[in-house]
Amino acid sequence: MNPDVLLETRGPLALVTLNRPKAHNALDLGMIRALHPALEAWAGRPEVKAVVVRGAGGRAFCAGGDVRAVAASLGTPPPEGQEPLSRAFFREEYRLNQLIHHYPKPYVALVDGICMGGGLGLSRHGSHRVVTERLVLAMPETGIGLFPDVGGGWFLPRFPGESGTYLGLTGARCDAADARWLGYATQHVTHERLDAVVDALAAADWGGKPARAVVDGVLAGFSSEPGPSPLSAHAREIDRCFASNGVEEIVEALAAEGTPWAEETRATLGRMSPTSLEVTLRQLRLGRFMSYDEVAAMEYRLSQRFMSLPDFREGIRAVLVDKDQKPRWNPPTLAEVRDEDVAAFFAPLAPGA
């Protein structure tokens, strides 16, 4: 048993509680290894009709993967007989995301509070994403010298227009109304009703109806509209400025736009890892035409390439360790990121990597 992942069944319902509240339920390798076999087992048990996943502590669903631990492990030989954490973590996290993406039963994520990075991997790939008014949703990886992984190359290009490109490059935060407009959220339920949702699903009559229809019916009884999306108000600007296949061209388009929003967005891009920005844009453009499983294979290659370069460790230092918010990127500018270096991120890995 892993105390950071609480697993239980309530009649026909399997319930997962991510129980690492002091770390905003950030997902570490032990949690992944507890959750994956449980989901596999529940998939094969006919008495289990649906899975619900939630976060403990009241502040976060899941703030992402435990990238700080991964960064700390780089450059240190793993214990004898074990593979490097930077390999095991990403491979097993992405396999968990694939299991959720293809899950044969309703998978209901109750997304309350912070949901970033790996939290989207645990939620977006399921059949139902229930958000509350406290949602803070983001893919902030370019700010730590990484890229929007956990299937971001698949789901971000499928958000409306160029909104996924904007979110993947800038790490901008979304609220519940934005999540509904994007298509991330399938329902909006107020925070104080989440326990009642779990109780209602456990008490539902599952006989004679498809399981997904039962879940839809229960959730409909609790759902409300979150109001207008602030992000959607900038949809035309986003589509104009983020349609290019080059980050420098996006920056130029924002400068030409000349609005306060565009200037703020341009400044945000200026703080991100130039390498991360260029690789992410290519990832999103390729992912638009790929299946999810193809994207997952591509993202594992990207993860391992980023582990071998300095920006990831520097981003973690600046944002999560020293917290000086002054990363020293290498190379430091978009103009110095070479096309051939970006292309190398997408090449097949060596056997065994």
Side-chain angles (χ1 to χ4, degrees):
M1 298 294 292
N2 185 327
D4 293 336
V5 180
L6 306 181
L7 307 170
E8 59 182 299
T9 54
R10 296 186 184 178
L13 198 65
L15 182 61
V16 175
T17 304
L18 307 175
N19 189 41
R20 203 180 172 210
K22 290 183 179 179
H24 297 311
N25 300 318
L27 193 65
D28 64 20
L29 185 57
M31 295 168 71
I32 293 168
R33 289 178 171 173
L35 185 51
H36 195 132
L39 289 176
E40 286 188 322
W42 288 330
R45 290 174 54 183
E47 69 273 19
V48 172
K49 303 300 184 183
V51 174
V52 171
V53 182
R54 62 184 181 179
R59 298 179 62 190
F61 171 72
C62 174
D66 193 354
V67 289
R68 183 170 176 168
V70 174
S73 74
L74 295 172
T76 303
E80 187 175 352
Q82 296 184 24
E83 66 178 339
L85 179 62
S86 58
R87 228 184 258 172
F89 178 83
F90 288 105
R91 187 184 63 253
E92 295 188 37
E93 182 184 26
Y94 297 173
R95 286 180 177 173
L96 175 61
N97 298 154
Q98 283 183 287
L99 173 62
I100 297 167
H101 187 90
H102 297 294
Y103 208 64
K105 297 179 179 181
Y107 176 102
V108 184
L110 302 180
V111 189
D112 184 33
I114 299 167
C115 181
M116 297 184 180
L120 278 86
L122 288 180
S123 56
R124 174 58 186 86
H125 299 297
S127 60
H128 296 78
R129 285 89 56 192
V130 179
V131 305
T132 77
E133 72 280 5
R134 309 195 310 177
L135 177 71
V136 180
L137 187 78
M139 293 292 284
E141 289 80 6
T142 59
I144 57 169
L146 201 57
F147 67 102
D149 62 341
V150 297
W154 180 81
F155 60 75
L156 288 171
R158 288 160 176 81
F159 286 165
E162 294 295 339
S163 60
T165 309
Y166 165 73
L167 295 172
L169 293 179
T170 66
R173 298 183 174 192
C174 299
D175 64 13
D178 295 331
R180 284 288 281 161
W181 177 72
L182 290 167
Y184 165 83
T186 55
Q187 288 87 14
H188 170 259
V189 174
T190 57
H191 161 77
E192 69 270 10
R193 305 190 77 190
L194 290 182
D195 287 344
V197 167
V198 175
D199 292 341
L201 287 169
D205 179 6
W206 296 83
K209 294 181 181 179
R212 181 156 186 162
V214 174
V215 173
D216 289 341
V218 170
L219 295 179
F222 292 89
S223 298
S224 59
E225 287 303 318
S229 159
L231 180 62
S232 69
H234 296 288
R236 291 183 178 180
E237 293 169 281
I238 289 171
D239 289 351
R240 280 196 300 269
C241 295
F242 283 82
S244 173
N245 289 327
V247 180
E248 288 182 289
E249 289 84 353
I250 290 173
V251 172
E252 291 170 1
L254 288 165
E257 197 76 15
T259 63
W261 172 87
E263 286 303 304
E264 181 181 350
T265 301
R266 188 159 67 100
T268 297
L269 291 175
R271 295 190 292 269
M272 304 306 178
S273 159
T275 298
S276 290
L277 290 174
E278 293 287 6
V279 172
T280 293
L281 185 58
R282 184 171 297 194
Q283 168 208 7
L284 299 181
R285 295 298 184 250
L286 292 172
R288 182 175 290 170
F289 304 103
M290 299 169 73
S291 70
Y292 173 71
D293 291 336
E294 289 171 332
V295 166
M298 173 180 70
E299 291 183 353
Y300 180 71
R301 292 197 295 272
L302 297 180
S303 76
Q304 298 310 292
R305 293 275 158 54
F306 273 104
M307 294 303 102
S308 68
L309 296 173
D311 271 11
F312 173 62
R313 279 172 284 183
E314 174 60 12
I316 296 299
R317 180 206 65 77
V319 175
L320 298 178
V321 180
D322 297 340
K323 300 183 180 180
D324 58 22
Q325 309 300 323
K326 296 179 180 178
R328 297 180 291 272
W329 303 125
N330 182 21
T333 67
L334 288 168
E336 295 171 272
V337 181
R338 301 183 303 173
D339 289 344
E340 56 266 35
D341 292 335
V342 174
F345 276 81
F346 296 84
L349 296 171

